[in-house]
Amino acid sequence: QVFLKPYFLEAYRPIHKGDLFMVRGGMRAVEFKVVETDPAPYCIVSQDTVIYCEGEPVKREEDESMNEVGYDDIGGCRKQMAQIKEMVELPL
């Protein structure tokens, strides 16, 4: 709760079941995974949203999607990313 309340405070963030997100607080970062939403499968977290943080932490070995790197993981290089997409994806 210490990490999640400030992360979602007045942000109205959309979430989807299965989403992974990193919350930074102080000198450490904590990773969270959305395991259920109501309504399903998408919702928007607002100030009135009740967040349950229970159970055991998710082990990284159990979740292989963390190994997938996409274009969204690289920031600040729009021109270069456009060139890479043009050279790699368009010929396919």
Side-chain angles (χ1 to χ4, degrees):
Q1 293 291 355
V2 173
F3 290 95
L4 293 175
K5 279 198 178 242
Y7 180 77
F8 287 112
L9 185 65
E10 297 182 15
Y12 296 96
R13 297 179 190 268
I15 60 171
H16 178 265
K17 183 178 178 178
D19 280 353
L20 295 167
F21 57 95
M22 187 80 64
V23 179
R24 289 172 178 43
M27 297 295 289
R28 65 185 253 209
V30 179
E31 189 172 43
F32 291 92
K33 180 177 183 177
V34 178
V35 293
E36 188 175 342
T37 62
D38 183 23
Y42 298 95
C43 71
I44 295 178
V45 179
S46 68
Q47 293 175 342
D48 300 328
T49 302
V50 177
I51 300 172
Y52 296 100
C53 189
E54 303 173 340
E56 296 296 316
V58 177
K59 302 224 184 296
R60 282 190 165 246
E61 297 81 38
E62 296 173 6
D63 191 6
E64 295 189 17
S65 67
M66 293 301 294
N67 295 331
E68 298 173 10
V69 177
Y71 291 115
D72 295 333
D73 296 321
I74 303 170
C77 303
R78 289 188 182 178
K79 183 178 179 183
Q80 292 83 357
M81 292 304 298
Q83 291 174 341
I84 291 171
K85 284 183 181 181
E86 183 179 322
M87 291 176 9
V88 174
E89 291 180 359
L90 291 180
L92 300 176

